Amino acid sequence: MVERTYDVVGIGNAIVDIIARCDDAFLSKHDLTKGFMRLIDAGEADHLYAAMGPAVERSGGSAANTIAGLASFGAKGGFIGRVAADQFGGIFRHDIRSLGVTYETAPADDGAPTARCLVLVTPDGERTRNAFLGASVGFKPSDLDAFMIESAKIVYLEGYLFDRDEAKAAFREAARLAKSSGAKVALSLSDAFCVNRHREDFRKLVREDAHIVFANEKEITALYEVNSFEEAVSEVHRDCELAVLTRSEHGSVIVAPNEVIAVEAAPVARVVDVTGAGDLYSSGFLYGLTQGLWLNACGMLGSLAASEIIGHLGARPERSLHGLAKAAGLLD
């Protein structure tokens, strides 16, 4: 029998987030559409970085944020993602390891530099993301850590990484390794932008490989090309074992084989930065799932984690999520 060393192992983009506040005029000046993500090259990343105000640099990436949140709950997590042997790669390695997360992916000595995401946060809490994917998009099957994957209860795949053919092959191999060892496969659709680019491949992954799918309302309706959330719920119900669908201030919906569960959003005193809200919702949900909690309780932990993250700048928890959950009566 396989020993489950890790609660969750995440596979995704290894990115350093560079987060700064700005006003709407700054977005207009640089022809940026508020609330959206776009891909940029190294030159544009350098230009925009020079124009930004004071910034906070933190290791990031969607799946890495989820694993960081899980660590804050007290889970044992691992992460697999590609960085370069440069300054930003060093920042990423230090940050994620300092949380107690296992990260052993060897840095690349050649090719593109470490990925960066320049996140501009306006006063209303909306974030506009400009991502230079750098070394992370070179991810390939040989970057996988088979022992780590086979030692996990759940392997969590980040949709943002699902772009190049080699990365798609890596996802399929990771799913094969996970399922052959008895681990569950969870997939985050990540962004409607990603879904629209790779809809058919995502649909196949959902149908054939994923036990659990995480998506927000825009992503799940884009996946099935439907006009209503209710239609999307009906479609995903047929395709996978468990779907976890977030709806911002309207909470979330958990689509299980025999029931559909609505979970309210946790209260937030003030929205500062919504960066990472979905990532941290996944942290709470997955923590509850790996601890054997009821699905409703898993959703409440997800809502709690999301509410903590949007109350401050950045996509990593500033308070112990386990402590907050205990104080809220969600954990013993």
Side-chain angles (χ1 to χ4, degrees):
M1 183 176 179
V2 177
E3 182 181 354
R4 300 299 172 189
T5 307
Y6 301 98
D7 291 304
V8 183
V9 168
I11 302 175
N13 286 316
I15 298 176
V16 174
D17 287 336
I18 303 171
I19 308 166
R21 299 182 185 277
C22 76
D23 55 21
D24 288 352
F26 182 91
L27 299 182
S28 296
K29 179 180 178 180
H30 293 275
D31 198 26
L32 304 175
T33 303
K34 183 162 71 172
F36 282 78
M37 185 199 80
R38 66 186 186 121
L39 300 178
I40 59 177
D41 60 23
E44 191 168 3
D46 290 340
H47 175 75
L48 189 58
Y49 182 52
M52 292 168 64
V56 175
E57 295 174 354
R58 296 174 178 168
S59 64
S62 178
N65 290 337
T66 295
I67 299 300
L70 277 154
S72 186
F73 273 110
K76 178 62 175 174
F79 180 73
I80 302 170
R82 195 168 184 269
V83 298
D86 56 19
Q87 177 186 358
F88 285 118
I91 290 172
F92 184 90
R93 287 194 303 275
H94 174 270
D95 277 5
I96 198 161
R97 287 174 173 173
S98 71
L99 301 174
V101 174
T102 300
Y103 176 63
E104 302 295 344
T105 310
D109 292 320
D110 55 7
T114 297
R116 283 158 277 164
C117 186
L118 282 63
V119 184
L120 297 162
V121 184
T122 42
D124 57 3
E126 281 289 341
R127 84 278 196 211
T128 302
R129 294 166 293 166
N130 305 270
F132 165 59
L133 297 179
S136 67
V137 297
F139 195 87
K140 53 190 180 299
S142 61
D143 290 315
L144 295 171
D145 185 325
F147 177 78
M148 186 182 290
I149 291 169
E150 292 169 344
S151 302
K153 294 178 183 176
I154 297 173
V155 176
Y156 181 75
L157 306 176
E158 174 192 325
Y160 282 126
L161 186 60
F162 195 69
D163 196 16
R164 296 176 59 179
D165 288 341
E166 286 190 327
K168 292 175 183 178
F171 269 31
R172 288 190 288 269
E173 175 62 10
R176 186 193 68 79
L177 288 167
K179 291 195 292 187
S180 67
S181 72
K184 295 287 188 181
V185 177
L187 169 68
S188 167
L189 296 187
S190 294
D191 195 282
F193 172 79
C194 298
V195 174
N196 288 329
R197 282 161 59 92
H198 307 289
R199 182 176 290 106
E200 292 308 314
D201 284 328
F202 268 131
R203 283 186 179 178
K204 184 176 181 181
L205 197 61
V206 168
R207 285 193 307 269
E208 298 180 2
D209 291 315
H211 301 96
I212 309 161
V213 172
F214 290 89
N216 65 25
E217 190 167 357
K218 289 181 181 178
E219 293 155 8
I220 201 65
T221 53
L223 181 69
Y224 292 107
E225 296 182 282
V226 294
N227 295 319
S228 73
F229 179 72
E230 291 72 23
E231 289 175 282
V233 167
S234 179
E235 292 283 350
V236 77
H237 193 273
R238 290 193 288 266
D239 276 356
C240 69
E241 182 178 311
L242 187 64
V244 186
L245 310 176
T246 56
R247 307 188 76 186
S248 300
E249 69 273 16
H250 301 298
S252 58
V253 173
I254 303 165
V255 185
N258 299 313
E259 59 183 336
V260 176
I261 304 166
V263 180
E264 291 185 358
V268 182
R270 186 167 75 95
V271 175
V272 175
D273 175 13
V274 298
T275 306
D279 303 336
L280 270 292
Y281 181 98
S282 296
S283 300
F285 190 92
L286 290 171
Y287 179 72
L289 202 61
T290 59
Q291 304 309 302
L293 302 185
W294 295 105
L295 291 178
N296 185 64
C298 295
M300 292 172 69
L301 287 172
S303 292
L304 177 78
S307 70
E308 192 281 337
I309 214 69
I310 65 178
H312 59 78
L313 198 65
R316 298 285 171 88
E318 293 186 347
R319 293 180 289 172
S320 164
L321 295 178
H322 193 274
L324 289 175
K326 285 188 71 174
L330 298 178
L331 295 174
D332 296 329

